[in-house]
Amino acid sequence: MDNYSQTIINAVDAVKSAVVKIDRIASKNNKSISEGSGSGFLISSDGFLFTNSHVVNKARAIKVALHDGTVCSAELVGEDTMTDLAILKISANEFVPALLGDSDELQVGQLVIAIGNPLGFQHTVTSGIVSALGRTMQSFKGNMMDCMIQTDAALNPGNSGGPLVNAMGAVVGVNTAMINGAQGLCFAVSINTAKEIAAQLMRFGKVKRAFLGFQMQQIELVPKLRSVAEVSNHSALFITKVEENSPAEKAGILSGDILYSFNGQLIETADQLFKLLNTGKIGMFQYVGVIRNNLKKEFRITPTERLAA
């Protein structure tokens, strides 16, 4: 068998037992019926699992079908519509959870594999590459979602909440969206951001974060720019749009700026910035370093609390 096929087979084997089908259950004529389905994956041996918020949002009851065919009820631990993530809990033991990778190590062009239940077809596998990193896109609630991985691994309705894995079978993203009418434009929440969200949902049942107010994309800094601007970053965040009346606009940050530091700490990925935007930053002066016209500039910014649309 060719090496490419064997790589995908090995990656799928490593994670497939952790992938589940999720059904929203409703009652009709005294019968339980599914009113929608999605995907998810186990992240702990005691039954915690990831899915998308839009898969389980306002569900009256939730059923989870495991890889071996077992069906069990699930409890919603917490959800965050801002990142379209949710944590469920099923009551059973000795699960084999998925291995969670490090999305900071991803590179554009890298092989990735999506596993889920598109259109109800369980455990469907698609593959592609990472098309872009650190994207910002609009969620199902109208919020702007940061730290998104863009891929051309095909997603369809029902893939939502399933894992995006690398060649080793480690989860690098949570599949969340496709763009209708587009070819090969699919998105996943990076797993490093998802880990931060999960920690808050499992502890508090909700998420609070600081808001700056710009859309961005992770880019590689060419050696010439690094030399001229005198920065050591290999990558940074290109600001594609600054929202009106946002902390970023008030601070003087512009579209086209390249964010390379936050409070003196070098920033190379969207995940790194997201991790620093904790509740302790809300309402407090912070310092953002950008490259503009090949020159370094620093702006003082006061993050606000990010609220759902």
Side-chain angles (χ1 to χ4, degrees):
M1 185 176 294
D2 64 278
N3 291 336
Y4 177 78
S5 297
Q6 192 61 59
T7 296
I8 293 176
I9 290 169
N10 292 343
V12 172
D13 282 343
V15 73
K16 65 182 181 183
S17 63
V19 182
V20 303
K21 181 175 183 286
I22 297 172
D23 283 293
R24 298 163 53 97
I25 303 301
S27 179
K28 185 176 182 179
N29 298 326
N30 296 320
K31 293 183 179 180
S32 294
I33 61 169
S34 174
E35 60 177 3
S37 65
S39 305
F41 58 96
L42 291 156
I43 58 172
S44 72
S45 59
D46 57 349
F48 286 98
L49 60 93
F50 262 129
T51 188
N52 283 157
S53 172
H54 77 258
V55 172
V56 296
N57 188 252
K58 297 182 179 179
R60 296 182 181 89
I62 305 167
K63 294 288 186 181
V64 171
L66 304 178
H67 182 259
D68 63 4
T70 303
V71 178
C72 50
S73 297
E75 171 194 358
L76 177 62
V77 174
E79 62 178 317
D80 179 45
T81 59
M82 296 294 297
T83 52
D84 196 18
L85 291 172
I87 296 289
L88 304 181
K89 177 70 165 64
I90 53 178
S91 298
N93 294 311
E94 299 183 2
F95 292 115
V96 179
L99 173 66
L100 303 186
D102 183 356
S103 50
D104 279 353
E105 296 180 352
L106 282 175
Q107 298 183 50
V108 173
Q110 183 173 337
L111 169 69
V112 284
I113 302 152
I115 308 175
N117 308 289
L119 304 174
F121 294 102
Q122 287 187 250
H123 291 276
T124 295
V125 176
T126 57
S127 67
I129 62 168
V130 174
S131 306
L133 293 166
R135 289 282 200 199
T136 300
M137 66 164 292
Q138 195 170 45
S139 75
F140 76 109
K141 286 286 191 179
N143 305 304
M144 300 312 298
M145 298 166 56
D146 301 323
C147 309
M148 302 296 289
I149 301 165
Q150 182 182 324
T151 175
D152 64 353
L155 301 179
N156 287 284
N159 270 116
S160 297
L164 185 73
V165 306
N166 62 18
M168 304 302 293
V171 180
V172 294
V174 184
N175 296 319
T176 189
M178 60 180 182
I179 297 180
N180 291 328
Q183 298 296 316
L185 287 176
C186 301
F187 296 88
V189 181
S190 68
I191 197 61
N192 286 7
T193 287
K195 291 174 189 176
E196 294 291 324
I197 296 297
Q200 292 196 51
L201 289 179
M202 293 168 72
R203 185 176 180 184
F204 306 114
K206 61 181 181 180
V207 176
K208 289 183 66 177
R209 68 179 56 76
F211 172 68
L212 298 180
F214 51 73
Q215 299 177 30
M216 58 193 171
Q217 178 186 342
Q218 184 177 319
I219 61 169
E220 182 179 353
L221 296 182
V222 297
K224 183 177 181 180
L225 178 58
R226 292 172 57 205
S227 176
V228 171
E230 298 181 332
V231 297
S232 58
N233 302 52
H234 287 84
S235 60
L237 303 176
F238 181 79
I239 297 174
T240 58
K241 181 180 179 181
V242 176
E243 298 182 29
E244 291 185 11
N245 300 316
S246 66
E249 184 184 63
K250 293 173 182 177
I253 295 172
L254 303 176
S255 299
D257 287 345
I258 301 173
L259 188 153
Y260 74 92
S261 73
F262 185 81
N263 286 344
Q265 182 171 333
L266 296 183
I267 299 294
E268 295 196 312
T269 70
D271 286 315
Q272 291 172 355
L273 179 61
F274 182 88
K275 190 171 184 178
L276 293 174
L277 291 175
N278 53 52
T279 57
K281 305 295 192 299
I282 298 172
M284 306 292 289
F285 288 139
Q286 313 298 322
Y287 294 89
V288 171
V290 306
I291 301 170
R292 181 186 294 173
N293 298 326
N294 295 334
L295 299 174
K296 290 190 293 186
K297 292 181 176 291
E298 187 173 70
F299 295 89
R300 191 173 75 172
I301 188 169
T302 306
T304 58
E305 182 177 351
R306 187 165 192 173
L307 302 175

